[in-house]
Amino acid sequence: MRVRPVTEADFEELARGLKIVVDEKRWVAIQPPVSETELVERMRERLAEGRLLFALEDPDAEDGPALIGHIDLHRTRIDGVWALGMWILPGARGKGGGRMLLEAAIDARPMDVHKIELEVWPHNEAAIALYERLGFEREGLRRDHYRRRDGRLHSSMIMARLFPEAF
Ligand SMILES: CC(C)(COP(=O)(O)OP(=O)(O)OC[C@H]1O[C@@H](n2cnc3c(N)ncnc32)[C@H](O)[C@@H]1OP(=O)(O)O)[C@@H](O)C(=O)NCCC(=O)NCCS
């Protein structure tokens, strides 16, 4: 597995991958139905905005090199605070790829970033474990914050890692 920056040529494959994760309806904030076309357009806007986008590639996949994960690190409205979102395809989880992607994004942060934050569903034990392994701490719970398409409210946990070298 290797991590590399996303280029426009990756959009369709990454959109197909993200759609699989969205359709699991369990881990990410985006809700189905969502089309691959919408996801491609979203990625085009994000790359143009200057977000740091990386793909995780499996060079030894059966049908040739395949993109099996993605991370998006981007600025927020608060100076020096960036946020991230990420996913790995279901069959590729638990093999160290999430750690590789997250380490690459952290290493690529601009030097004036003093905090990287994220939100995670509280039941997402794998994600919380990964974030804690890489120095993210639980900052708080947004209780019953998000109305989902099924009408139910979901809480999310805010986690963040500080970078004292930028203080
Ligand atoms: C969360 C996610 C990105 C983690 O990526 P991954 O490739 O499965 O994780 P890794 O194999 O790199 O594991 C990273 C660390 O977390 C730990 N971990 C992974 N899965 C775990 C689990 N189910 N329970 C406990 N710990 C777990 C590993 O032990 C590992 O620690 P180590 O490197 O010190 O051994 C991936 O599972 C995923 O894409 N899930 C669905 C989408 C998602 O949840 N995105 C994040 C939304 S906030």
Side-chain angles (χ1 to χ4, degrees):
M1 283 186 292
R2 70 179 190 115
V3 175
R4 61 167 178 76
V6 168
T7 69
E8 201 169 334
D10 300 323
F11 290 169
E12 284 187 14
E13 189 175 354
L14 287 174
R16 275 198 300 280
L18 176 54
K19 189 165 175 350
I20 291 169
V21 179
V22 168
D23 288 341
E24 289 182 285
K25 294 200 220 166
R26 191 154 167 73
W27 310 120
V28 293
I30 306 173
Q31 300 181 81
V34 64
S35 70
E36 286 172 23
T37 314
E38 276 173 79
L39 295 174
V40 164
E41 198 42 47
R42 189 185 299 224
M43 233 175 297
R44 192 183 310 287
E45 285 165 14
R46 291 180 168 195
L47 195 61
E49 244 167 58
R51 292 181 176 222
L52 299 176
L53 306 182
F54 293 97
L56 182 69
E57 189 172 49
D58 176 2
D60 305 317
E62 242 171 61
D63 302 323
L67 302 182
I68 55 174
H70 177 54
I71 193 164
D72 170 339
L73 180 65
H74 52 274
R75 63 177 67 249
T76 67
R77 279 177 288 183
I78 311 296
D79 273 351
V81 180
W82 284 45
L84 66 81
M86 66 187 295
W87 56 264
I88 301 279
L89 281 180
R93 292 176 192 154
K95 298 175 182 168
R99 175 186 269 272
M100 286 176 67
L101 269 176
L102 186 51
E103 283 175 344
I106 290 171
D107 288 349
R109 75 192 185 283
M111 287 322 289
D112 63 348
V113 170
H114 65 268
K115 182 186 267 196
I116 296 179
E117 65 170 13
L118 58 90
E119 281 184 71
V120 56
W121 302 131
H123 64 255
N124 195 345
E125 288 173 19
I128 293 168
L130 164 63
Y131 301 140
E132 287 188 329
R133 289 275 207 281
L134 292 192
F136 286 73
E137 293 174 315
R138 301 170 191 224
E139 288 203 331
L141 190 68
R142 307 188 91 165
R143 291 183 57 187
D144 294 338
H145 198 73
Y146 296 101
R147 175 82 64 192
R148 306 295 283 171
R149 285 210 173 123
D150 63 6
R152 293 159 78 176
L153 290 171
H154 278 211
S155 303
S156 74
M157 183 154 68
I158 299 173
M159 298 185 73
R161 173 168 160 182
L162 290 167
F163 297 92
E165 57 272 36
F167 281 14

